[in-house]
Amino acid sequence: MQDLLARNIRLSVTISLLIASSLLLVATIISTKQNELLNVIGLSISTSGLATSLVQIIEQLTERIEKFSNQRRFLRLFGCDDKTNGDGSIAIIVPAFDLNPTNSQQAGNSLKQQAQKLVWKFSTNAAIKNDVTAASYLVSAFSKLGLPVPQIKWDEEININDDDGVKTYILIGLSNDVIEFVNKSTDRYFSISQNIDKNNNLSEIMIKGGLFDNYNQLIEEARWTSYSVLLDSQTSIPQNNVDYALFAKFRINKKMFIICGGGTEWGTRDIGTHISGSGWRRIYSDLKIEKGAHLTANEAFAVVFQLPINKQQSQSISIVQKCIKKKK
């Protein structure tokens, strides 16, 4: 709000300067020829002021046009449009882990292991710190673009059928609950699955790129690609220190869903940070080229990233697959 006020004040001052310079120029032109020196000085000042004002106005108009363009591209990428982008219409969903002592296992890891990394406690629920970090960066991305800040909700608060005012859900991470939820969807270009070892610890997460139907069956086999993240059963860190992450959009009923998560919590953190910075522009540009046209708010897509663990530099994160329906 302060930035907007400052820009409006700057624009008002610039316009005032332009008007004053124009009046001075007119007065100089119609003034008598008796004082040639005054004539030259006045003409010089007015011309300089006019040029400066025009440059500043052009710069500010360009800035506003660029911001508006960025807002529209960002909203389309995240399944929104100008009509659905309002306070409360977007919600970021963070996985909730139940700390009830009667639950002995969850998400492939013991609750004791999870509790060592838990923050943001509410009642018996808690979230993993890296998931919260990813969610926080996404909130910041909306704020920096001057868009309404999304709500923050637990995954158990997703409401598919009822009209709760939320039109777009942004799902953080690839938890069990998220995977079960994704499998209910149609018209999506990705699939997520998990493997558990004999000790009931998560040992592998697999991301598949391609067009899948409501029964999790691949339709376009020519585009099928699988990315596997093998995990250390004790630390949940990828065995080769390379993670894969997914940024995708799909629909359930009348609501749009964005999924943003890595095979591990570190991958989720890094991809959330990357997308919130310059990454979303890169994704939009690549999908636009892949499609052969501008993106719309309601079309499905999937982008798979490869990223090394503990290296947050954007240049180390690479896109390995893009799935979107091409324009005929």
Side-chain angles (χ1 to χ4, degrees):
M1 184 63 72
Q2 292 179 348
D3 291 341
L4 179 60
L5 179 60
R7 286 195 295 270
N8 288 336
I9 293 175
R10 187 173 62 181
L11 180 60
S12 299
V13 171
T14 302
I15 294 176
S16 299
L17 181 59
L18 175 61
I19 294 174
S21 299
S22 300
L23 292 175
L24 181 58
L25 177 60
V26 172
T28 302
I29 293 175
I30 64 177
S31 63
T32 61
K33 298 181 180 180
Q34 296 177 354
N35 194 335
E36 295 296 335
L37 179 60
L38 179 62
N39 221 6
V40 172
I41 294 175
L43 182 62
S44 177
I45 293 175
S46 59
T47 303
S48 176
L50 181 62
T52 301
S53 300
L54 287 174
V55 169
Q56 291 181 354
I57 287 177
I58 292 173
E59 288 179 349
Q60 292 178 41
L61 287 176
T62 301
E63 179 183 340
R64 290 194 174 198
I65 293 172
E66 182 180 4
K67 181 177 180 179
F68 178 73
S69 176
N70 284 335
Q71 287 178 334
R72 293 199 65 183
R73 288 186 295 162
F74 184 87
L75 290 173
R76 287 176 180 176
L77 187 66
F78 279 83
C80 311
D81 55 36
D82 295 337
K83 295 181 180 179
T84 61
N85 173 43
D87 293 330
S89 64
I90 306 172
I92 295 179
I93 304 300
V94 178
F97 292 93
D98 189 358
L99 298 183
N100 191 324
T102 60
N103 296 331
S104 59
Q105 297 288 332
Q106 186 157 342
N109 295 314
S110 70
L111 286 175
K112 182 178 180 181
Q113 289 174 317
Q114 290 289 352
Q116 294 175 354
K117 301 174 286 185
L118 294 175
V119 295
W120 193 31
K121 295 182 179 179
F122 176 75
S123 184
T124 61
N125 289 337
I128 295 178
K129 180 179 179 180
N130 283 325
D131 289 348
V132 177
T133 299
S136 299
Y137 272 93
L138 287 173
V139 169
S140 176
F142 278 84
S143 179
K144 288 179 179 179
L145 287 171
L147 299 170
V149 175
Q151 304 178 65
I152 302 292
K153 292 177 175 286
W154 295 116
D155 51 5
E156 59 191 24
E157 297 180 86
I158 296 176
N159 198 329
I160 300 176
N161 300 314
D162 295 339
D163 185 10
D164 56 356
V166 178
K167 295 180 174 61
T168 299
Y169 287 105
I170 302 174
L171 311 177
I172 302 297
L174 307 181
S175 66
N176 283 342
D177 290 340
V178 169
I179 293 174
E180 291 178 6
F181 177 72
V182 165
N183 289 338
K184 300 176 184 177
S185 67
T186 58
D187 187 27
R188 55 192 171 84
Y189 285 85
F190 66 95
S191 177
I192 312 168
S193 58
Q194 295 180 342
N195 289 324
I196 306 298
D197 64 17
K198 61 182 180 179
N199 296 319
N200 202 31
N201 286 320
L202 185 61
S203 62
E204 181 182 21
I205 295 178
M206 186 174 295
I207 301 172
K208 295 180 181 179
L211 180 59
F212 292 80
D213 62 18
N214 196 36
Y215 301 97
N216 206 30
Q217 299 296 315
L218 189 67
I219 297 176
E220 299 181 5
E221 292 195 19
R223 303 183 68 179
W224 179 87
T225 311
S226 177
Y227 304 94
S228 177
V229 183
L230 297 175
L231 305 175
D232 183 286
S233 61
Q234 299 300 318
T235 64
S236 296
I237 296 177
Q239 293 182 5
N240 58 356
N241 287 322
V242 174
D243 198 357
Y244 288 96
L246 177 68
F247 182 74
K249 181 167 64 177
F250 59 97
R251 176 186 293 275
I252 298 181
N253 297 339
K254 295 182 179 181
K255 298 189 177 184
M256 297 303 302
F257 293 84
I258 300 292
I259 187 166
C260 178
T264 69
E265 58 173 286
W266 300 277
T268 296
R269 175 200 64 194
D270 290 351
I271 199 60
T273 304
H274 174 66
I275 290 174
S276 301
S278 60
W280 72 267
R281 294 180 179 86
R282 173 189 180 190
I283 295 171
Y284 186 96
S285 177
D286 283 7
L287 287 175
K288 178 183 174 183
I289 294 173
E290 182 76 9
K291 177 185 175 182
H294 285 285
L295 273 63
T296 63
N298 59 358
E299 65 184 324
F301 64 77
V303 181
V304 183
F305 295 83
Q306 183 185 71
L307 58 166
I309 297 300
N310 297 326
K311 291 184 179 180
Q312 300 185 38
Q313 296 87 346
S314 296
Q315 60 268 27
S316 66
I317 299 177
S318 59
I319 295 177
V320 294
Q321 189 175 15
K322 303 179 289 285
C323 300
I324 191 171
K325 186 176 181 179
K326 296 185 178 182
K327 183 180 179 180
K328 295 181 180 180

